[in-house]
Amino acid sequence: MTGTAEQANPLLEGLSFRRTPDPCALVIFGASGDLTHKKLMPALYALAFRRLLPTRFAVIGVARTEQDDDGWREDMKHAVQQYARDEFRQDVWDELAANMHYLSADFADEAGADQLEQLVEKCDKEMNLGGNRVYYLAVPPPAFPEIVEALGKRKSPTGWTRLIVEKPFGHDLDSARSLNRMLWEHFAENEIFRIDHYLGKETVQNMLALRFANGVFEPIWNRQFIDHVQITVAESIGIEGRAGYYEQAGAIRDIFQNHLLQLLAITAMEPPIDFHAESVHNEKVKVLKALHTPGPKSVVRGQYGRGFVEGEEVPAYREEEGVASDSMTETFVAAKLFVDNWRWADTPFYVRMGKRLARRETTIAIQFKRAPHPPFEETTSEGLRPNVLLVHVQPDEGVSLAIGAKVPGQGMTIRTVHMDFLYGGAFRTGMPEAYERLILDTMLGDTSLFTRSDEVEEQWLLVDAIVAAWQRDRPAFPNYPAGTWGPPSSEELLRRDGRSWRRN
Ligand code: BG6
């Protein structure tokens, strides 16, 4: 094992540990797209700002748009000024931009691939990059095969090659399997980095720390002590001009299939024997395999109508540009899921996700069972609520534990109070963006925070079963006004079980 591989996972190390990847070239396909502007380039800038990039590093942007190196650099500089989390520093930018190049190419013909190969080799020779390459596929999936085949044929004989594949990874199980097969024709599994950017979020990784770095939680992290789990991925934004994609995807493919199921897997997984990628993937996939296909009554779908979000009137989904006026695409899903294993049998995992909901909030709430015998008279307590461990994935990143406490005074009145840990306050540092971590991990060859092929396939298996059941009926859409918490049937899903969605 090389030094780099041994040091691959920071969960094995203390906070001060600094990982520096090997020199390499990063090639971004889709260099004029939204993702590159809003996420990738700001992430590279943040890494440059903190001196986390390799000592010798080149970035090559590839897209069809005609422009030269200077034009692209200028465009990227504006993107960094607009979207980066750090102040703009000319010296940091100049150092990064000095080794940024642009190639206008179409991979439908071999010439484009050859041109890229020559450019990468030139950078490699000039900067002594050792043949190490990261290719980032930030393009729509139909473009994957041509690019992957072209790259596969031109692999560098020296150094390492890694391929980052953006979502959506397939449209269903069959297409995901074909995509995996196509990738394996040219790349080994450990060279493929399937992105689910939620795994790069600090708070999602903190769920692992919370569970496995603290002796206090693990003994009670099971069906004996936990009544149920609620996972919410709520967004107040709409589809942001992405009708072409969203009409095909809907909430189930956009969020449920990937981000939501990954959050669930991390919450429910067994402790891995170590934090190497293989061990973490093995435990997550066991959870995904144990997920019971929910019956039609356990899944709710919705689509937003007009409404008010944060005080502003917003159009219905069917009124968004590019959306069919009779669209049946769901913008909300809620479900009751069960993980059929020894730890979780009969413990519901209620999950919900949607666009144009009341506010942006991603949380994982672990609701514990009630105290077995409260010795207080009902009249003096406000109903003795059960304890809830709430992981705020975003915003207001942190963890909070709801406990019952005595209200000061003569009687024995109990009220729920919160013990809070807030990232901002505890560490006094800004939160890194998920893409910073994920790009760095790719350069380090660490796949722990990426999705393995079998995980993706298990996720699709469940989604395909849900979507197949949906073919049988046609709900009356829209069924929730924008700015609310989804359709009434979502509340009903929990009310039937004598429970309700958390409100704070
Ligand atoms: C993306 C989805 O994967 O995640 C978007 O395609 C969604 O529809 C986004 O808005 C949410 O990401 P975040 O990091 O803002 O929660």
Side-chain angles (χ1 to χ4, degrees):
M1 205 183 254
T2 66
T4 310
E6 267 170 355
Q7 296 159 357
N9 196 315
L11 286 167
L12 304 173
E13 302 290 342
L15 257 181
S16 61
F17 187 80
R18 248 173 110 99
R19 305 177 299 161
T20 312
D22 300 336
C24 65
L26 167 67
V27 179
I28 303 174
F29 295 92
S32 53
D34 235 30
L35 187 73
T36 306
H37 282 85
K38 291 188 179 155
K39 298 287 182 192
L40 305 187
M41 204 39 81
L44 288 176
Y45 177 80
L47 292 173
F49 197 90
R50 289 165 182 76
R51 306 218 147 267
L52 292 170
L53 288 174
T55 43
R56 299 189 302 282
F57 179 60
V59 185
I60 297 164
V62 184
R64 288 194 186 146
T65 315
E66 289 283 348
Q67 59 181 337
D68 58 13
D69 282 1
D70 285 341
W72 187 59
R73 283 186 201 130
E74 205 46 34
D75 187 19
M76 292 299 108
K77 180 176 163 182
H78 288 140
V80 165
Q81 285 168 333
Q82 192 175 352
Y83 298 111
R85 68 182 171 109
D86 303 301
E87 62 180 289
F88 184 79
R89 268 187 31 203
Q90 195 64 43
D91 57 327
V92 175
W93 174 252
D94 287 345
E95 205 178 313
L96 180 65
N99 296 307
M100 279 172 54
H101 306 276
Y102 181 79
L103 179 71
S104 159
D106 186 346
F107 269 65
D109 66 75
E110 292 274 314
D114 288 339
Q115 268 176 297
L116 174 63
E117 180 57 13
Q118 285 155 16
L119 180 56
V120 181
E121 268 179 12
K122 184 166 164 275
C123 292
D124 203 324
K125 264 203 201 114
E126 284 173 6
M127 300 179 70
N128 189 18
L129 302 178
N132 299 327
R133 288 156 199 199
V134 176
Y135 294 108
Y136 199 124
L137 298 187
V139 287
F144 290 175
E146 275 163 0
I147 298 177
V148 171
E149 193 183 327
L151 298 179
K153 282 202 248 164
R154 292 169 179 77
K155 266 192 174 173
S156 164
T158 57
W160 45 254
T161 302
R162 293 172 191 145
L163 182 72
I164 304 182
V165 187
E166 258 301 330
K167 67 174 276 240
F169 196 91
H171 185 76
D172 53 15
L173 180 57
D174 277 354
S175 54
R177 279 190 175 147
S178 330
L179 183 50
N180 274 331
R181 278 197 298 271
M182 188 276 288
L183 292 170
W184 290 330
E185 275 175 36
H186 306 282
F187 292 88
E189 178 65 23
N190 66 2
E191 294 175 323
I192 303 169
F193 292 70
R194 296 174 194 80
I195 279 219
D196 183 318
H197 79 278
Y198 267 54
L199 294 176
K201 290 184 189 277
E202 279 294 325
T203 33
V204 175
Q205 294 159 53
N206 188 47
M207 188 67 174
L208 297 172
L210 190 74
R211 288 193 55 197
F212 306 129
N214 297 293
V216 63
F217 295 118
E218 214 34 39
I220 54 171
W221 207 263
N222 56 51
R223 63 192 300 275
Q224 266 182 289
F225 295 91
I226 293 176
D227 178 73
H228 72 276
V229 176
Q230 292 187 14
I231 304 181
T232 299
V233 181
E235 293 184 276
S236 55
I237 55 168
I239 54 166
E240 310 261 278
R242 296 194 303 155
Y245 155 74
Y246 202 86
E247 275 281 85
Q248 301 301 315
I252 193 120
R253 293 186 173 89
D254 187 42
I255 300 278
F256 180 96
Q257 186 270 344
N258 37 79
H259 309 326
L260 191 117
L261 289 180
Q262 285 291 327
L263 293 181
L264 189 151
I266 282 184
T267 307
M269 71 195 254
E270 293 300 312
I273 50 164
D274 54 40
F275 273 105
H276 289 122
E278 200 63 8
S279 316
V280 175
H281 292 307
N282 287 348
E283 295 308 334
K284 279 198 293 165
V285 84
K286 280 189 214 162
V287 173
L288 296 167
K289 275 181 195 293
L291 274 176
H292 188 95
T293 305
K297 284 205 179 126
S298 297
V299 186
V300 165
R301 58 186 152 146
Q303 186 194 78
Y304 62 85
R306 284 184 199 177
F308 287 85
V309 176
E310 285 149 15
E312 244 179 63
E313 188 164 19
V314 297
Y317 175 69
R318 287 176 175 177
E319 293 166 344
E320 302 270 11
E321 204 184 322
V323 172
S325 57
D326 59 350
S327 171
M328 288 306 292
T329 301
E330 78 290 345
T331 58
F332 176 93
V333 178
K336 175 162 81 165
L337 302 173
F338 287 100
V339 180
D340 284 342
N341 64 17
W342 193 272
R343 185 187 286 263
W344 295 114
D346 303 324
T347 311
F349 283 71
Y350 298 102
V351 301
R352 59 178 168 170
M353 74 240 57
K355 298 270 187 205
R356 287 285 190 227
L357 297 182
R359 61 167 183 266
R360 175 171 185 252
E361 171 194 312
T362 301
T363 47
I364 302 171
I366 312 293
Q367 174 146 345
F368 292 94
K369 291 189 174 165
R370 285 176 186 280
H373 169 69
F376 316 105
E377 289 198 16
E378 282 243 358
T379 47
T380 57
S381 73
E382 48 140 31
L384 284 185
R385 303 224 197 112
N387 300 116
V388 178
L389 182 73
L390 186 60
V391 177
H392 295 268
V393 174
Q394 62 190 23
D396 307 328
E397 291 82 355
V399 180
S400 131
L401 179 65
I403 53 172
K406 180 184 173 302
V407 177
Q410 300 310 312
M412 190 47 137
T413 306
I414 309 293
R415 185 169 301 160
T416 299
V417 295
H418 294 92
M419 283 166 56
D420 292 328
F421 144 62
L422 276 172
Y423 264 86
F427 294 115
R428 300 199 180 279
T429 168
M431 296 289 274
E433 281 284 328
Y435 281 91
E436 297 168 28
R437 174 64 193 264
L438 297 174
I439 292 173
L440 197 62
D441 276 6
T442 309
M443 293 179 194
L444 291 159
D446 183 355
T447 57
S448 349
L449 299 178
F450 293 80
T451 331
R452 201 169 63 185
S453 59
D454 48 353
E455 287 175 65
V456 177
E457 293 186 9
E458 287 300 331
Q459 290 169 189
W460 277 122
L461 197 63
L462 184 73
V463 167
D464 281 3
I466 294 174
V467 171
W470 283 353
Q471 307 310 321
R472 285 182 229 128
D473 67 288
R474 216 182 140 79
F477 281 167
N479 59 357
Y480 70 96
T484 64
W485 284 103
S489 44
S490 163
E491 304 294 332
E492 188 49 36
L493 182 70
L494 272 73
R495 200 175 307 128
R496 279 203 304 265
D497 296 344
R499 301 184 174 108
S500 58
W501 291 109
R502 294 183 30 261
R503 277 284 175 253
N504 51 21

